[in-house]
Amino acid sequence: MNNTLQDLERIFHPRAISIIGSSNREGSFGRLFLEGIIRMGYPAIYPVHPREKELLGLKAYPGLREIPVEIDLAISLVPRTEALKVVQDCAVKGVKGLILFTSGFKEKDVEGGSLEQEIVRAAREGGVRLIGPNANGIYCPAAKICTFPGALKVGGLPTESGSVAVISQSGSFADYTCQVLAGKNIRFSQAAGYGNESDLGAADFLEYCGADKKTRVITGYLEGIKDGRRFYELAKKISRQKPIIIWKGGLTESGAKAALAHTGALAGSRQVWEAMFKQSGIISVHSVEEVTDYVTAFSWLPLPKGKRTAILSGMAGTNVGTADNCLITGLELAQYTEKTNKKLMAILPAIGTTAANPTDIGAGVLVNPALYGQAAKILLEDENVDMLITITGPDNPAAVRGLAEAAKTANKPMVISLFDITGLVEPQIKYLQEKHIPVYTDPKRAANALAKMAEYADFKGKE
Amino acid sequence: MNNTLQDLERIFHPRAISIIGSSNREGSFGRLFLEGIIRMGYPAIYPVHPREKELLGLKAYPGLREIPVEIDLAISLVPRTEALKVVQDCAVKGVKGLILFTSGFKEKDVEGGSLEQEIVRAAREGGVRLIGPNANGIYCPAAKICTFPGALKVGGLPTESGSVAVISQSGSFADYTCQVLAGKNIRFSQAAGYGNESDLGAADFLEYCGADKKTRVITGYLEGIKDGRRFYELAKKISRQKPIIIWKGGLTESGAKAALAHTGALAGSRQVWEAMFKQSGIISVHSVEEVTDYVTAFSWLPLPKGKRTAILSGMAGTNVGTADNCLITGLELAQYTEKTNKKLMAILPAIGTTAANPTDIGAGVLVNPALYGQAAKILLEDENVDMLITITGPDNPAAVRGLAEAAKTANKPMVISLFDITGLVEPQIKYLQEKHIPVYTDPKRAANALAKMAEYADFKGKE
């Protein structure tokens, strides 16, 4: 393990932390962070406040140097003009990592750019690793620590560990993506929002998550990358072991201008990025919704052997449109074996059904929902079928249960699409996500997710 | 009003209906339809059953001819071999419209094709208008009638009328799209699932909904069209008055094969359809989710004057990515006036914010949510802004309320995107949809919806 990986290990699993700029004041960030981190259950918090002796029941200290224990991680909420002093104090105290939540540096103006340079120099000289400035820091469930303000505001993120890592230049992406995924029963190894990337950045976090045994899927949001070549080489290597799903912001001219104002990043040309993603096997996405759709699929499903997809529903029209969407996204429709056709015909009513792919098991499933699970099992056994998309209404819970059973015994990717009927769909989604079965509120999104899996499997197969 | 429009008026507002193939048997379609239509509140149901004297508390009749009142609409659930007899009975009884739920006709095999021809001939000779076969019929809230089995199974569709019409070759599309939209507070003028289009079809329903004053938005699903030229001419005329949002299934080779098996329709080439949609101003979609996203926007928002879009959030990374998505989908980023920039700078914190578009009001909105509504109002007043996309977390209900207030006083399209955090997002979505404010769980979908509005406004402007 190189030095940076060791530093990150210490930062993600700190023995004690300090919050500089902690506050008792209602509606302040100082209070929001302190309250939130206490609530997550992190046990060793040492708040710093110039005057208060106690904050929310914790002993407060006038400065870092007065804290009687070693501090591995500090979080600074002070204004930009005071940030250099905080870095210097961290250096003296021997703090390993400093999260600079503070913004107003190179992304803001020339003065901010100079301030940032001074801070980086001081940190390097003092052996302090920086996350930020303009960053919201880290989340590590195993350490019961989270410094994402949005999540802290609503009760924090899960303290149970999982296998998804989130790396983001944008703090709000890290914050909200973790919240969205947590609500869909995804759990995390670690996450980081690193902002201006003045020291620790995309390549460092990627390398850490790549080396981390718990992490099986990596997702993230990038604007620019300080060390593009290193990131590319790492991604190429790591994506052979685990999928890397990235949203690259600033692909258009206006987006790039906004990125410069956001994190001071030079976003680069779209063509260059797209080529880089393709060559390094990175799965490219353009929204948090796509991240969610793909992370659940990659987390919970085995990789497909090919792109031959079966479609199953009792809704012929939706089947037709879904067949279109599969083909448009690069999937193929599976040609069932004769055996499968026979087995299907043996269980399907003769009228109002189609055995061939896309398989229409007829409107009769409204009154005979068991057909869904039976047909799904037959299709999953077919050697010509690599993946299965099933579609039903959330008004048919017995059908959903039958499909869930088929999915759990499958050794192939199977996903379920439910129509997004408010009031009916929520309990069915919850039921499936608790069983780690990817569920989509539209079959087009299901097709997109499976297409990404097939593309990635193809990439991995080409050693 | 021509004859077909008069026939459809009678079919959508029948004075009395009969269900042929009604049943007492639990788990049968005969019972599902009867129970469901009773529950919708339709007052004049005359079930037909060969033996039973009473079904679910209603007097049953051995045949259509024995019913003592005039029947405007009959729904037949009998097997295909008995369908001809039903058509003949309808002709004798003077029934205006017959919904043939029964399938197994031209979509199935040669024998079914011959049967369908016989039925059509008998219907034409007897003055009976057919919906189907292989169709699930109609929904008309004003008449308290719905014959969609999925919806009937879960308590029916709203009996309150609205302004959206649904026309679909696929019964399940009509059924589930109405259920999905109803759950998002959309109400309907009427809907129809017409299946094999042996008599009444796409062009007829389009003409009816075009002429219908209550209908302000038309959506639908098509595979093939019997009378393509007439449909095209009607669409070209009607889309000048109201948007027509269509999902065309069978665009790919596999999709077209599936369409043939579904409704016996010849789906035609993708290029021809796309050109036809473009020339006639039809808004083309490829999923129920897109239908939902666009129908809410077109139903609840004024049309934009142009495509200059403002983006507002406290999340700079999401802003960057949303700017990309706006540009990729054909929108432009608005250049604010100097006045707007000054007004924004007067209310925004100096650090961690960006006044220029995309406007980042900073992470401070987590503790100062009122900024959202204030900034939205400033942007909506800018003469250089045609439309506004706002993005916030559902963890900030005060921000959502502020945005909702700004939206309700706006005379420009404004939409809200909320991150899809299970448990937090649902009440906020409900709140906004009750106020008829389009809400999306991803800003990319918001951008797509506004892009469609701008395209349609452009089409309408070119008289």
Side-chain angles (χ1 to χ4, degrees):
Chain A
M1 204 183 259
N2 64 34
N3 285 349
T4 295
L5 293 192
Q6 280 172 359
D7 294 345
L8 279 170
E9 183 70 13
R10 179 61 56 85
I11 287 168
F12 277 118
H13 299 88
R15 291 165 301 170
I17 69 167
S18 178
I19 304 172
I20 302 151
S22 302
S23 173
N24 258 330
R25 190 165 51 82
E26 283 280 359
S28 70
F29 272 101
R31 182 174 178 127
L32 192 154
F33 275 90
L34 192 55
E35 225 168 30
I37 298 172
I38 293 171
R39 205 195 278 148
M40 283 280 295
Y42 184 79
I45 311 172
Y46 295 83
V48 164
H49 193 281
R51 292 171 306 278
E52 302 285 349
K53 297 281 170 257
E54 199 187 286
L55 289 169
L56 305 176
L58 295 175
K59 182 169 163 52
Y61 297 85
L64 264 179
R65 306 182 196 194
E66 284 79 8
I67 297 172
V69 301
E70 279 186 63
I71 296 293
D72 288 333
L73 179 67
I75 300 140
S76 169
L77 311 171
V78 302
R80 67 177 185 175
T81 47
E82 296 169 36
L84 179 62
K85 170 77 168 47
V86 170
V87 174
Q88 289 163 341
D89 287 352
C90 283
V92 171
K93 177 72 185 163
V95 170
K96 183 49 67 193
L98 171 62
I99 296 167
L100 280 167
F101 181 75
T102 316
S103 55
F105 291 90
K106 79 168 174 191
E107 84 284 2
K108 184 70 188 172
D109 49 26
V110 177
E111 193 192 338
S114 311
L115 277 172
E116 187 166 326
Q117 280 177 12
E118 278 182 62
I119 285 168
V120 172
R121 204 176 307 124
R124 194 168 302 133
E125 283 167 12
V128 181
R129 302 309 305 256
L130 293 179
I131 297 179
N134 192 21
N136 64 3
I138 62 155
Y139 163 46
C140 180
K144 294 188 179 170
I145 186 151
C146 172
T147 68
F148 299 163
L152 292 178
K153 189 162 172 263
V154 293
L157 287 163
T159 50
E160 183 193 351
S161 276
S163 59
V164 173
V166 180
I167 301 172
S168 176
Q169 191 149 18
S170 152
S172 60
F173 175 92
D175 195 332
Y176 284 108
T177 300
C178 285
Q179 290 188 65
V180 169
L181 286 170
K184 311 208 179 306
N185 210 25
I186 288 290
R187 295 295 178 265
F188 305 88
S189 46
Q190 61 271 325
Y194 57 81
N196 285 14
E197 203 181 19
S198 73
D199 174 23
L200 293 167
D204 302 311
F205 288 105
L206 180 63
E207 187 173 16
Y208 181 81
C209 297
D212 176 43
K213 295 273 181 293
K214 291 190 304 300
T215 302
R216 295 199 310 113
V217 177
I218 300 171
T219 188
Y221 172 87
L222 302 177
E223 285 172 4
I225 302 175
K226 206 175 40 176
D227 188 351
R229 171 56 56 182
R230 189 174 144 230
F231 185 87
Y232 168 71
E233 295 296 345
L234 282 165
K236 215 162 75 168
K237 208 180 91 202
I238 294 166
S239 61
R240 295 260 163 229
Q241 281 121 44
K242 35 189 126 181
I244 306 173
I245 301 165
I246 300 281
W247 184 7
K248 167 66 181 74
L251 285 176
T252 64
E253 202 187 330
S254 301
K257 242 159 75 181
L260 191 64
H262 175 211
T263 54
L266 290 166
S269 100
R270 188 168 172 185
Q271 285 72 24
V272 171
W273 280 96
E274 281 170 359
M276 193 267 259
F277 275 29
K278 206 175 155 64
Q279 281 162 28
S280 58
I282 292 176
I283 297 144
S284 176
V285 297
H286 299 90
S287 72
V288 172
E289 190 168 83
E290 283 180 64
V291 166
T292 315
D293 286 354
Y294 304 163
V295 164
T296 49
F298 278 102
S299 294
W300 294 337
L301 298 177
L303 284 181
K305 295 225 166 24
K307 54 185 179 176
R308 298 168 304 170
T309 309
I311 300 168
L312 168 69
S313 87
M315 294 163 285
T318 304
N319 273 357
V320 171
T322 301
D324 284 339
N325 284 327
C326 281
L327 269 81
I328 288 167
T329 198
L331 296 173
E332 285 169 12
L333 287 206
Q335 293 258 10
Y336 306 154
T337 60
E338 261 317 295
K339 202 172 141 199
T340 295
N341 285 327
K342 275 184 197 145
K343 282 197 272 181
L344 284 174
M345 284 191 273
I347 62 162
L348 296 181
I351 296 289
T353 64
T354 309
N357 194 11
T359 301
D360 172 18
I361 53 176
V365 290
L366 280 173
V367 289
N368 181 16
L371 269 183
Y372 259 111
Q374 291 162 18
K377 276 181 191 154
I378 292 170
L379 294 176
L380 288 164
E381 281 166 9
D382 189 320
E383 67 209 36
N384 291 349
V385 171
D386 297 317
M387 300 184 278
L388 173 60
I389 296 177
T390 64
I391 309 153
T392 183
D395 52 343
N396 202 340
V400 175
R401 281 195 301 275
L403 289 173
E405 266 171 51
K408 287 318 282 179
T409 56
N411 58 355
K412 296 174 183 176
M414 167 177 159
V415 298
I416 301 180
S417 176
L418 298 173
F419 288 101
D420 187 20
I421 305 172
T422 308
L424 291 176
V425 79
E426 298 85 354
Q428 305 304 324
I429 289 177
K430 188 163 184 281
Y431 166 81
L432 292 170
Q433 286 172 342
E434 276 170 3
K435 291 188 178 304
H436 289 186
I437 298 167
V439 52
Y440 301 94
T441 48
D442 199 280
K444 187 181 175 191
R445 283 165 62 183
N448 288 341
L450 291 188
K452 291 292 180 186
M453 292 201 83
E455 274 170 42
Y456 177 67
D458 185 54
F459 168 83
K460 262 190 98 168
K462 288 178 186 151
E463 293 295 335
Chain B
M1 209 184 257
N2 65 32
N3 286 349
T4 294
L5 293 192
Q6 278 171 2
D7 293 345
L8 278 170
E9 183 70 14
R10 178 62 57 88
I11 287 168
F12 277 118
H13 299 89
R15 290 165 302 170
I17 69 167
S18 179
I19 304 172
I20 303 149
S22 302
S23 174
N24 259 330
R25 190 166 51 81
E26 282 283 357
S28 71
F29 272 102
R31 182 174 178 127
L32 192 154
F33 275 91
L34 191 56
E35 226 168 30
I37 298 172
I38 292 170
R39 205 195 278 148
M40 283 282 294
Y42 184 79
I45 311 172
Y46 295 84
V48 165
H49 193 282
R51 292 170 308 278
E52 301 285 352
K53 297 283 170 256
E54 200 187 285
L55 290 169
L56 304 177
L58 295 174
K59 182 171 163 53
Y61 298 85
L64 263 179
R65 307 181 195 193
E66 283 79 9
I67 297 172
V69 301
E70 280 187 62
I71 297 291
D72 288 333
L73 178 67
I75 300 139
S76 169
L77 311 172
V78 303
R80 67 176 186 176
T81 48
E82 296 169 34
L84 180 62
K85 170 79 169 49
V86 170
V87 174
Q88 290 163 340
D89 286 352
C90 283
V92 171
K93 175 71 185 166
V95 170
K96 182 48 67 194
L98 171 62
I99 296 168
L100 279 168
F101 183 74
T102 317
S103 56
F105 292 89
K106 78 168 174 189
E107 84 284 4
K108 185 71 189 168
D109 49 26
V110 176
E111 192 191 340
S114 312
L115 277 172
E116 186 165 326
Q117 281 177 13
E118 279 183 59
I119 285 168
V120 171
R121 204 177 307 121
R124 194 170 300 134
E125 282 166 10
V128 181
R129 302 307 305 259
L130 292 180
I131 298 180
N134 192 19
N136 64 2
I138 62 155
Y139 162 46
C140 180
K144 293 187 181 171
I145 186 151
C146 170
T147 68
F148 298 163
L152 292 178
K153 189 162 172 264
V154 291
L157 288 163
T159 50
E160 183 193 351
S161 277
S163 58
V164 173
V166 179
I167 301 172
S168 175
Q169 191 149 18
S170 153
S172 60
F173 176 93
D175 195 331
Y176 283 108
T177 299
C178 285
Q179 290 189 65
V180 170
L181 286 170
K184 310 204 179 310
N185 210 24
I186 288 290
R187 295 296 177 264
F188 305 88
S189 47
Q190 61 271 325
Y194 59 79
N196 284 13
E197 203 181 18
S198 74
D199 173 22
L200 293 167
D204 302 311
F205 288 105
L206 180 64
E207 187 173 17
Y208 181 81
C209 297
D212 176 43
K213 295 274 183 289
K214 290 191 304 300
T215 301
R216 295 199 309 113
V217 176
I218 300 170
T219 189
Y221 172 87
L222 301 177
E223 284 171 7
I225 303 175
K226 204 175 44 178
D227 188 351
R229 170 56 57 182
R230 188 174 147 232
F231 185 88
Y232 169 70
E233 296 295 347
L234 281 166
K236 216 163 74 167
K237 209 180 92 202
I238 293 166
S239 62
R240 296 257 164 233
Q241 281 121 46
K242 37 189 123 177
I244 306 173
I245 301 164
I246 301 282
W247 184 7
K248 166 68 181 74
L251 286 176
T252 63
E253 202 188 328
S254 302
K257 242 159 76 181
L260 191 64
H262 176 210
T263 54
L266 290 166
S269 99
R270 187 167 172 186
Q271 286 71 27
V272 170
W273 280 96
E274 280 170 0
M276 192 267 256
F277 275 29
K278 206 176 154 64
Q279 281 161 30
S280 58
I282 291 177
I283 297 142
S284 175
V285 297
H286 299 91
S287 72
V288 172
E289 190 168 83
E290 283 181 64
V291 166
T292 314
D293 285 355
Y294 304 163
V295 164
T296 50
F298 278 102
S299 294
W300 294 338
L301 298 177
L303 284 180
K305 296 224 164 27
K307 54 185 178 177
R308 298 169 305 171
T309 309
I311 299 169
L312 169 69
S313 89
M315 293 162 287
T318 305
N319 273 356
V320 171
T322 302
D324 284 339
N325 284 327
C326 282
L327 269 81
I328 289 166
T329 197
L331 296 173
E332 285 170 12
L333 286 206
Q335 291 260 7
Y336 306 154
T337 61
E338 261 317 294
K339 203 171 140 196
T340 295
N341 284 327
K342 276 186 195 143
K343 282 198 271 182
L344 285 174
M345 284 193 271
I347 62 162
L348 296 183
I351 297 289
T353 64
T354 309
N357 195 12
T359 300
D360 171 17
I361 53 176
V365 291
L366 279 174
V367 287
N368 181 17
L371 269 183
Y372 259 111
Q374 291 162 18
K377 277 183 189 151
I378 292 169
L379 293 177
L380 289 164
E381 281 167 9
D382 189 318
E383 68 208 35
N384 290 350
V385 171
D386 297 318
M387 300 185 279
L388 174 60
I389 296 177
T390 65
I391 310 152
T392 183
D395 52 342
N396 203 340
V400 175
R401 282 194 301 276
L403 289 174
E405 268 172 47
K408 288 318 283 180
T409 55
N411 57 355
K412 296 174 183 177
M414 167 176 159
V415 297
I416 300 180
S417 176
L418 298 174
F419 287 100
D420 187 19
I421 304 172
T422 308
L424 291 175
V425 78
E426 299 85 354
Q428 305 303 325
I429 289 177
K430 187 162 184 283
Y431 166 82
L432 292 170
Q433 286 171 343
E434 277 172 2
K435 291 188 178 304
H436 289 186
I437 298 167
V439 52
Y440 301 93
T441 48
D442 199 280
K444 188 181 174 189
R445 284 164 63 184
N448 287 343
L450 291 187
K452 291 292 181 187
M453 293 204 80
E455 274 170 41
Y456 176 68
D458 185 55
F459 169 84
K460 262 191 99 169
K462 287 179 185 148
E463 292 294 338

